[in-house]
Amino acid sequence: MKQHHFGAALTGSYLNTRGVLFWFLVILGVECDEETMTAVHQCLLLCLLSTLTAAAGRKNVLFIVADDLRTSLGCYGDPLVKSPNIDQLASKSQVFLNAYAQQAVCAPSRTSMLTSRRPDTTRLYDFKSYWRVHSGNYTTLPQHFKSHGYTTMSVGKVFHPGIASNHSDDYPYSWSIPAYHPASFRFENQKMCKGKDGDLHANLLCAVNVSEQPGGTLPDLESADEAVRLLKSRAVDGAPFFLAVGFHKPHIPFRIPQEYLSLYPLDKIILAPDPDVPKLLPPVAYNPWTDVRKRDDVQKLNVSFPYGRIPDDFQLRIRQHYYAAVSYMDAQVGRLLSTLDDLSLTDSTMVVFTSDHGWSLGEHGEWAKYSNFDVATRVPLIMFVPGVTTYHNWLWESTFPFIDVFSQSEQTIFGEGLVRNMVELVDVFPTVSYMSGLGAPEYCPDVSLQVELCTEGDNLARTFRYKERGKNPELIAFSQYPRPADTPQENSDLPDLKDIKVMGYSLRSWDYRYTLWLGFNPRDFQVNTSDVHGGELYMMEDDPGQDTNIYSDALHRMVMGKMESLPQVGFSLF
């Protein structure tokens, strides 16, 4: 009822503005006869009522997930990366500056985010089990929308393909139609990269002439095409939809259109500020980036295992290709957003943009993900909610015009919706559900293996209503990573469940990142809190790059005492 009275009051106020409208039309040079005034007035009224209805009712959802994307974006303050379309989205959205994945590897992170259950609940730490069989029949985010009458669709890499999603991307539970995967992806790890010798190689660095690739295309180009097609079909249909689009880049190999390299001249690229392995880093914490080592061009470098350093000139080229891959992916995001405008769907569609985890670019002497450091666990998280984060544009200008990165200005526009306190990817499910009009699931009980629908995350709706009052030390993000041994092994980055011997549990607060590497039994999923294999403590004010580990037994006891005074959320072992 309150909403109805608000709309009536606003409409009544609006109807008293014909005088203002008259002078506005005069300024625009429009002939102001009575018929024109009435037509424009009625059009504006309809737009207003449409905006109020869109804000009040259920919203469509466009859910975009990048692969291996750290916060290397203009809207996150990166001075080098060119990401104009994502930046434009951020300028009209709520931007969570400190969002963290629960495990820095694809399948566990995506399953955790899409079920809103932590890896210790899904019991998925590798790629080789399906949560509905291995753990519990947990409802997923798209399944929740499907159960409320939405048409749910998946394009590209949303769930991790293979065993982890039952070789079906969890169809038909999560999706109304079978998931779409781009045909050109089957070439992704084949010898497609032309070397200086003229032969094809399976390289890490793989900028290509797209016209010379099979089918004259690349996976993310195909996925964007399919997503645009589905959006057009939904606009005609008119039924509510949940469309998830997973782009493969900037995941390795960096098989991207070669023209994007021109955006990043090598003389403008710099090394990571901390390219060496920290002296006090416990060996169990180090990830030896085995998948990167397997690429043909990296093998030729003869880098010693596990701590050998990639030559500086090749490090610069890796960083160059990663940034170029981000810009290439940004262009595909821009295509989807501009399509919303073209189809008049922007005012009725919530847009979510995020990533499954980050990716180290030489920090701590590491590459890839597979760790608990910020560069591996911190992700972009951006939410556009029509009628909440922005309002209808009365001049009929496009909300998300496509921005060509090759002709854009250098300016990055920052919005006002910034959240600096810690949030997690398990918060995405309840927040998207609530902000779309479905309400948020209930919190999970302490033991929830038999509970199909509940959340282990927080509903972040409050952050859309109220501005932050400053740092909240009680808000903590939790991540974890498994290891097969105390020292780096060939399988340290991605051990099978049966081989896990140690689990690194990590807390990220405003003040510190604190990680304990504890004994873990993969047969009963039990953690031995007294079996400490290593510890890390980084004080963020003095050490934002997490390079100086000050962990000691005495500090451990002090931090544990402090944790006892905080609310019992996240990992009970802390």
Side-chain angles (χ1 to χ4, degrees), residues 200-339:
L200 295 177
H201 303 274
N203 286 344
L204 174 68
L205 311 182
C206 192
V208 298
N209 181 336
V210 175
S211 66
E212 296 176 354
Q213 296 298 292
T217 190
L218 293 172
D220 284 350
L221 297 176
E222 287 191 282
S223 291
D225 288 343
E226 176 64 9
V228 168
R229 186 190 71 81
L230 289 173
L231 285 173
K232 290 179 178 178
S233 71
R234 291 300 96 199
V236 173
D237 180 272
F241 66 83
F242 181 104
L243 172 61
V245 183
F247 290 118
H248 288 88
K249 295 306 163 207
H251 193 290
I252 64 172
F254 300 125
R255 188 164 74 107
I256 58 173
Q258 60 192 12
E259 57 266 25
Y260 284 90
L261 290 182
S262 66
L263 297 170
Y264 302 98
L266 275 172
D267 61 359
K268 303 295 185 183
I269 308 296
I270 60 174
L271 295 174
D274 50 354
D276 298 315
V277 180
K279 291 181 179 179
L280 298 179
L281 184 73
V284 70
Y286 185 76
N287 74 280
W289 39 278
T290 307
D291 59 343
V292 172
R293 295 175 188 271
K294 292 178 180 179
R295 304 290 166 171
D296 290 353
D297 49 353
V298 178
Q299 287 186 7
K300 292 178 181 178
L301 301 174
N302 293 316
V303 178
S304 62
F305 184 93
Y307 296 114
R309 176 168 167 165
I310 291 177
D312 288 358
D313 60 338
F314 200 86
Q315 289 196 40
L316 294 174
R317 293 183 63 207
I318 295 176
R319 292 170 73 89
Q320 175 199 38
H321 279 70
Y322 183 91
Y323 298 148
V326 172
S327 294
Y328 162 56
M329 180 272 298
D330 174 85
Q332 312 320 309
V333 173
R335 292 175 60 194
L336 301 190
L337 297 177
S338 63
T339 299

Side-chain angles (χ1 to χ4, degrees), residues 16-59:
N16 291 326
T17 62
R18 285 181 66 91
V20 176
L21 176 62
F22 172 81
W23 288 110
F24 179 71
L25 293 176
V26 169
I27 293 172
L28 293 179
V30 178
E31 184 177 348
C32 298
D33 54 48
E34 183 63 24
E35 184 178 352
T36 301
M37 284 281 291
T38 300
V40 174
H41 198 242
Q42 290 176 345
C43 181
L44 288 175
L45 177 58
L46 289 173
C47 289
L48 174 63
L49 294 176
S50 174
T51 300
L52 290 172
T53 301
R58 293 183 178 182
K59 299 173 180 64

Side-chain angles (χ1 to χ4, degrees), residues 153-216:
M153 302 159 287
S154 173
V155 172
K157 185 179 179 181
V158 180
F159 285 103
H160 190 84
I163 298 174
S165 57
N166 202 33
H167 298 284
S168 65
D169 296 82
D170 199 44
Y171 173 80
Y173 297 102
S174 289
W175 311 112
S176 302
I177 58 177
Y180 170 88
H181 288 283
S184 61
F185 183 74
R186 68 179 181 272
F187 302 106
E188 193 73 354
N189 292 305
Q190 297 183 17
K191 294 184 176 182
M192 305 302 300
C193 320
K194 186 176 293 185
K196 293 181 179 179
D197 56 7
D199 294 334
L200 295 177
H201 303 274
N203 286 344
L204 174 68
L205 311 182
C206 192
V208 298
N209 181 336
V210 175
S211 66
E212 296 176 354
Q213 296 298 292

Side-chain angles (χ1 to χ4, degrees), residues 496-526:
D496 291 344
L497 174 62
K498 63 181 176 59
D499 297 324
I500 297 173
K501 302 293 191 299
V502 184
M503 187 70 73
Y505 291 97
S506 192
L507 288 72
R508 177 64 159 88
S509 76
W510 266 107
D511 300 320
Y512 58 83
R513 175 171 286 283
Y514 179 53
T515 304
L516 277 182
W517 296 89
L518 303 173
F520 180 85
N521 188 333
R523 292 181 296 277
D524 59 11
F525 304 97
Q526 293 300 306

Side-chain angles (χ1 to χ4, degrees), residues 455-527:
T455 177
E456 293 181 354
D458 290 331
N459 178 6
L460 303 176
R462 66 185 184 281
T463 67
F464 292 84
R465 299 193 194 101
Y466 310 109
K467 287 190 176 182
E468 286 181 325
R469 296 180 179 179
K471 297 180 181 179
N472 185 343
E474 294 187 358
L475 294 177
I476 295 175
F478 299 86
S479 302
Q480 63 188 99
Y481 210 87
R483 294 282 189 242
D486 286 342
T487 57
Q489 313 288 320
E490 287 288 340
N491 65 336
S492 287
D493 290 345
L494 192 59
D496 291 344
L497 174 62
K498 63 181 176 59
D499 297 324
I500 297 173
K501 302 293 191 299
V502 184
M503 187 70 73
Y505 291 97
S506 192
L507 288 72
R508 177 64 159 88
S509 76
W510 266 107
D511 300 320
Y512 58 83
R513 175 171 286 283
Y514 179 53
T515 304
L516 277 182
W517 296 89
L518 303 173
F520 180 85
N521 188 333
R523 292 181 296 277
D524 59 11
F525 304 97
Q526 293 300 306
V527 179

